[in-house]
Amino acid sequence: MSRYGDTAPRAEAAAAPGAATSPEASARLRERLSGTKVLLTGVTGFVGEALLHRLLTQVPTMTIAVLVRPKGSVSGVQRMRSLLAKPIFADLVATVGGVEVLAAGVQVVEGDLAAVPELPHDLDAVVHCAGEVAFDPPVDEAFATNVVGTRALLERVAQLGPHIHYVHISTAYVAGRRRGAIPESTIDHAVDLEAELAWGLAQRQIIEHRSRAVGHLASMRAKSEREHGRAGMLTAAAATEQQRREWVRAQLVLAGAERARSLGWTDCYTFTKALGERVVEAHAAAAPVSIVRPSIIESALQTPSPGWIEGFKMAEPLILAFGRGELPEFPAAADTPVDIVPVDHVVAAIVAVLGEPPAPGQPQWFHLSSGARNPLTFRGLYSIVREYFDHHPFEVGDRGAARLPQWRFPGAQTVERLLVTSERAHKVADYMVTHAPRADRTRDMARRLELQRRRLEFLRRYIDLYREYAQAELRFVDARTLGLYRRLHPQDQEEFLFDTSVIDWDHYIGEVHCPAVTAPIRRLDDIRSRRKGSTTTSPRKITPHVDGSADVVAFFDMDGTLLSSNVVETYLWMRLQEMDAAERVAEVGRIAARLPGLVRSERLERSAFLRSVYREYAGARLSDLDQIADQVLTSHVLSRLSPSAVRRVRQHRAAGQRTVLITGAIRPLTRPLEPLFDHIEAADLAVDDRGVCTGFLQSPPLVGESRAAWLRHWAAGEGVDLGKCFAYADSHSDLPMLTAVGNPVAVRPDITLFGHAKKSRWPIVDWNSSAASWRTLVPAGDR
């Protein structure tokens, strides 16, 4: 037996959406819900959290249970306590005397929709807020959550008896690609639920099999080896597997989107939510069911505080991008409505719905929307947002206020053409920069292209996601919802406001929503500005702090990291010392003729490149090379060292930490650096029994993955924890070494390593050579 009391008058009133009962006959919501017990799902989400807050605050005599899944080692109970410790619940916590006291009043049912546990037997209602809310989820995940999860929950609800009022939170956009007025009723379609469910759940296995096809793997492997072969085949293999996984996810997203659109829905989200409603409607044949369909849910108008929002929803990324001048156009018609509803209106309506359970077999639908009675068009939204940023602009570095784009609403096709053109231009520029010689100018161009790439990816993602919604000409009829509101007691109409016709869009968007969603960004901008104005470098470029741990080791690359040099240049330093002027000219010319081939070799496989260069030492005496290094090259090498690099080495040594030089350069060239390092691992030239170089090496050069393997082997023998260690390098071929330690630092990186360091948020430093150094092929007095 339900503890709601007599529901017949309310069911009769609900049959006449516009009807209103007299204030005297309308009991307060607190009275109707007093003593009842409700189970909430999705309380760690935006709507669920707001609903939990509203019930705890305004219906304190209701008993609340929550379904919360454990996350890793954190139990559902612990997650609930963390939730109640958030600022939104601060007043409640203060009132009751602490988080623990507040948490003790909420029953936690540990579990999730993948395995719904047995529910409490004393429930009166269930509000299902949980679900997959991304517009572009992998199709199997969307079906598993929005259809299978809903069915599993309802099976548990049905076990408790037919009296449980089930409130299902759906979306108004289950209407799909229809046009015009959408009634508060079932969506008319003939889709075979079970066939689509079986298809959707099977897609991951099907696509996983396709991803392992020989031709597909060969294509991905070839691409990865072109891009990562210098770092080693295992690095390329890892990139291939990552590429395959990304392809699988992209195909799962595409499969869901295409199937949804082929059946008349905007995307996989609305498609699976519509099928989830079919599951709910089947349950409604013998139980009281209410289906609540909000439109685009945004920040609170009033409760718990004006502008309260958790994370970014639908409009926020677009508002922020527009304010930064990064959203030049949008594929919407100027007069298309954008149907927004504040989250506090949504949760207030849910509470009201809880107070009016319908009769079994008579499900009720409620649209929580604004477009039918208080429409806001895209042109209107644009005007309000633009006016806000005109008065409160974002500051963009030294350029001052961001320049706002002028939207002309040229149509979706024009916007798409502009985006495609920009994407093609970026692809060409990226190819050219990636293959350009390493230089400060190249790195600066790479940084600018990286910013442009992120902007283009942002535009592509959101224009693809929102294109359907931007062109949706829907009017969600909300007569039943309005009737529900009008039947509330006058005081409840004030406390549980959800009549969207009263929203002043200029006030809500311009004075509540925009300030709320831009505030966190402005705080970050202010922090960046203060850092830039101080002597401190930005966080990404700060080298990790050197502590005093004696068991820490710092590993350094040489060429390009400690000093500005390369193996061809250092070869000429050595060999030209033994030649007269005419021989020097001839040798430089010979090496110059070989440079294109050497560059190609270096890009394909660095070890082969090094072997090719070191063949040039054939016939030289190793003792002569050592003598040249000691007597001629020492001062030159030291002058080419970066002062910042030397300071860094000395900082590690001053902290009692060992320093190790690991390089592919030949050992004679490292002799000037011996005082700075506890151990030097370099390339050793093979010699015959006369001490003459054969042109070969004693062992393979340490490059790419072999360098990382040596590092792990050496660390194991020395009892060193690499997770505490540092590594400094400049080249993509050094990626395995950098990933082997806990504190990697990219030093004046090449373009590929620069991109990886940015993505991984590694420190990036510029260690320039001394201003007093000079570039010459014949160092010291023999020039």
Side-chain angles (χ1 to χ4, degrees):
M1 175 66 68
S2 170
R3 283 170 284 190
Y4 285 106
D6 183 10
T7 64
R10 290 192 291 277
E12 181 181 348
T21 59
S22 65
E24 293 76 20
S26 178
R28 295 292 305 277
L29 277 175
R30 285 193 186 90
E31 297 170 10
R32 298 188 214 170
L33 298 174
S34 179
T36 63
K37 183 172 182 178
V38 62
L39 173 81
L40 309 181
T41 71
V43 292
T44 57
F46 180 43
V47 173
E49 182 179 341
L51 177 60
L52 175 64
H53 174 269
R54 181 64 72 96
L55 291 175
L56 288 173
T57 304
Q58 294 184 277
V59 195
T61 55
M62 170 182 270
T63 302
I64 299 173
V66 293
L67 178 66
V68 181
R69 66 181 177 88
K71 197 171 185 179
S73 60
V74 182
S75 69
V77 171
Q78 290 171 318
R79 292 188 70 197
M80 190 62 201
R81 287 174 182 157
S82 297
L83 176 68
L84 294 175
K86 294 172 73 169
I88 183 178
F89 297 100
D91 290 344
L92 275 169
V93 168
T95 300
V96 301
V99 171
E100 294 297 328
V101 178
L102 184 61
V106 178
Q107 180 181 353
V108 176
V109 180
E110 300 229 8
D112 62 16
L113 298 179
V116 181
E118 185 176 337
L119 304 181
H121 291 279
D122 55 347
L123 291 178
D124 296 287
V126 171
V127 181
H128 183 33
C129 297
E132 177 59 70
V133 296
F135 292 164
D136 60 344
V139 62
D140 62 318
E141 295 178 12
F143 271 98
T145 302
N146 292 339
V147 182
V148 177
T150 297
R151 177 174 283 173
L153 178 64
L154 285 172
E155 288 173 354
R156 288 296 193 184
V157 171
Q159 292 173 1
L160 302 178
H163 68 282
I164 305 295
H165 181 196
Y166 176 78
V167 181
H168 186 76
I169 312 304
S170 184
T171 172
Y173 289 94
V174 291
R177 304 173 97 174
R178 291 168 174 79
R179 291 288 186 267
I182 306 299
E184 293 172 293
S185 63
T186 184
I187 297 297
D188 183 25
H189 66 80
V191 173
D192 186 330
L193 167 63
E194 298 305 326
E196 295 304 318
L197 177 58
W199 171 84
L201 296 177
Q203 287 309 296
R204 183 169 294 274
Q205 185 176 16
I206 291 170
I207 292 172
E208 285 280 357
H209 279 300
R210 283 171 51 202
S211 74
R212 291 172 170 82
V214 172
H216 194 67
L217 286 176
S219 174
M220 290 190 292
R221 181 178 59 81
K223 180 176 183 292
S224 295
E225 289 181 1
R226 282 196 306 271
E227 295 176 353
H228 303 283
R230 292 178 66 231
M233 289 299 103
L234 289 182
T235 301
T240 301
E241 178 60 13
Q242 179 64 27
Q243 192 181 161
R244 187 196 67 80
R245 290 175 180 170
E246 291 173 355
W247 182 87
V248 167
R249 179 177 176 82
Q251 290 298 303
L252 286 168
V253 170
L254 180 62
E258 287 302 322
R259 185 54 180 154
R261 288 167 189 161
S262 74
L263 292 171
W265 277 275
T266 55
D267 48 42
C268 190
Y269 164 68
T270 57
F271 175 41
T272 54
K273 290 294 279 187
L275 296 186
E277 282 198 13
R278 279 290 189 264
V279 173
V280 174
E281 289 164 10
H283 175 79
V289 166
S290 302
I291 298 175
V292 178
R293 293 176 177 161
S295 55
I296 301 169
I297 308 174
E298 294 294 346
S299 67
L301 178 61
Q302 294 177 323
T303 307
S305 60
W308 177 81
I309 192 169
E310 288 277 302
F312 285 170
K313 307 308 166 191
M314 184 169 176
E316 289 69 62
L318 306 181
I319 290 173
L320 296 175
F322 178 83
R324 291 199 177 279
E326 297 172 357
L327 191 61
E329 271 295 353
F330 196 66
D335 59 357
T336 297
V338 51
D339 203 304
I340 291 174
V341 59
V343 66
D344 49 342
H345 278 231
V346 175
V347 298
I350 294 172
V351 177
V353 167
L354 277 171
E356 280 201 8
Q362 298 180 24
Q364 300 288 331
W365 289 262
F366 298 90
H367 281 158
L368 268 298
S369 55
S370 58
R373 295 182 295 112
N374 188 13
L376 173 68
T377 64
F378 273 100
R379 174 69 185 178
L381 177 64
Y382 159 76
S383 298
I384 297 169
V385 173
R386 184 180 181 89
E387 182 178 4
Y388 168 78
F389 282 114
D390 278 337
H391 290 90
H392 310 283
F394 279 135
E395 298 294 324
V396 184
D398 298 329
R399 292 180 292 167
R403 184 176 179 180
L404 300 177
Q406 185 78 34
W407 282 9
R408 302 185 183 279
F409 298 95
Q413 291 183 345
T414 300
V415 173
E416 178 65 17
R417 280 198 303 271
L418 291 171
L419 181 55
V420 168
T421 300
S422 298
E423 288 170 335
R424 289 173 178 169
H426 180 271
K427 185 176 181 180
V428 172
D430 184 63
Y431 178 85
M432 294 175 66
V433 168
T434 302
H435 289 78
R438 189 190 310 188
D440 290 341
R441 184 178 179 184
T442 305
R443 272 190 290 271
D444 289 340
M445 291 175 64
R447 288 185 177 99
R448 290 196 294 271
L449 281 173
E450 173 67 14
L451 288 174
Q452 186 182 13
R453 180 191 63 80
R454 291 205 299 265
R455 289 168 183 164
L456 287 173
E457 287 181 351
F458 169 87
L459 290 174
R460 171 55 65 196
R461 172 172 171 74
Y462 283 98
I463 285 176
D464 285 350
L465 278 179
Y466 295 166
R467 182 183 287 108
E468 293 281 345
Y469 295 89
Q471 299 173 43
E473 298 176 3
L474 299 170
R475 185 171 63 86
F476 303 113
V477 176
D478 63 346
R480 179 176 287 110
T481 304
L482 181 60
L484 175 67
Y485 177 75
R486 287 174 174 171
R487 290 192 297 275
L488 293 178
H489 188 281
Q491 287 181 270
D492 282 339
Q493 289 182 359
E494 293 182 11
E495 291 185 28
F496 297 91
L497 174 65
F498 57 92
D499 179 4
T500 56
S501 68
V502 305
I503 299 172
D504 178 338
W505 294 116
D506 289 304
H507 167 71
Y508 173 63
I509 298 295
E511 299 176 25
V512 175
H513 189 65
C514 283
V517 301
T518 58
I521 306 302
R522 295 185 192 280
R523 285 194 292 270
L524 287 175
D525 286 347
D526 183 57
I527 292 170
R528 293 190 189 103
S529 178
R530 281 187 272 117
R531 281 175 174 162
K532 189 174 182 179
S534 70
T535 57
T536 307
T537 316
S538 65
R540 187 172 286 166
K541 295 194 176 185
I542 293 177
T543 308
H545 175 67
V546 177
D547 59 28
S549 302
D551 59 342
V552 172
V553 179
F555 301 92
F556 291 82
D557 174 48
M558 188 176 84
D559 290 335
T561 302
L562 295 178
L563 67 157
S564 57
S565 62
N566 57 69
V567 294
V568 174
E569 185 179 18
T570 54
Y571 160 75
L572 290 171
W573 289 353
M574 285 285 194
R575 294 312 302 267
L576 296 186
Q577 296 294 328
E578 305 171 314
M579 300 177 181
D580 59 29
E583 290 173 329
R584 288 172 180 174
V585 171
E587 182 66 7
V588 170
R590 187 179 69 84
I591 294 299
R594 291 193 59 198
L595 273 179
L598 290 172
V599 170
R600 285 194 298 271
S601 174
E602 200 270 345
R603 284 178 173 168
L604 290 173
E605 186 181 354
R606 185 164 174 80
S607 58
F609 161 72
L610 292 176
R611 289 186 177 100
S612 179
V613 173
Y614 295 158
R615 290 293 292 268
E616 301 292 338
Y617 286 103
R621 285 188 173 276
L622 184 59
S623 59
D624 292 343
L625 298 179
D626 287 340
Q627 186 177 7
I628 292 171
D630 292 342
Q631 297 180 2
V632 179
L633 295 184
T634 295
S635 60
H636 183 67
V637 169
L638 293 178
S639 73
R640 296 285 291 274
L641 279 174
S642 163
S644 298
V646 174
R647 281 194 296 270
R648 189 62 179 164
V649 173
R650 288 175 175 165
Q651 284 176 350
H652 282 288
R653 294 176 69 84
Q657 299 165 359
R658 283 179 286 177
T659 55
V660 173
L661 178 65
I662 177 169
T663 177
I666 60 172
R667 189 168 297 278
L669 285 167
T670 67
R671 293 169 69 86
L673 304 179
E674 288 177 354
L676 292 171
F677 294 96
D678 298 291
H679 179 83
I680 294 178
E681 194 68 22
D684 289 303
L685 295 168
V687 296
D688 60 18
D689 53 7
R690 298 171 297 155
V692 176
C693 297
T694 63
F696 300 105
L697 297 173
Q698 291 184 18
S699 60
L702 289 178
V703 296
E705 287 158 0
S706 63
R707 184 174 292 194
W710 178 90
L711 191 138
R712 294 189 185 95
H713 176 74
W714 184 89
E718 297 290 323
V720 170
D721 180 3
L722 289 178
K724 300 178 181 178
C725 294
F726 294 75
Y728 304 83
D730 70 306
S731 172
H732 180 222
S733 63
D734 298 315
L735 184 60
M737 180 179 83
L738 291 169
T739 56
V741 300
N743 297 290
V745 181
V747 182
R748 294 174 61 84
D750 60 24
I751 300 304
T752 309
L753 180 59
F754 173 80
H756 188 93
K758 294 278 282 187
K759 183 178 180 180
S760 304
R761 302 194 65 79
W762 291 350
I764 299 173
V765 296
D766 287 329
W767 288 349
N768 294 311
S769 295
S770 170
S773 67
W774 68 91
R775 297 196 79 92
T776 178
L777 298 180
V778 189
D782 291 330
R783 286 178 290 146

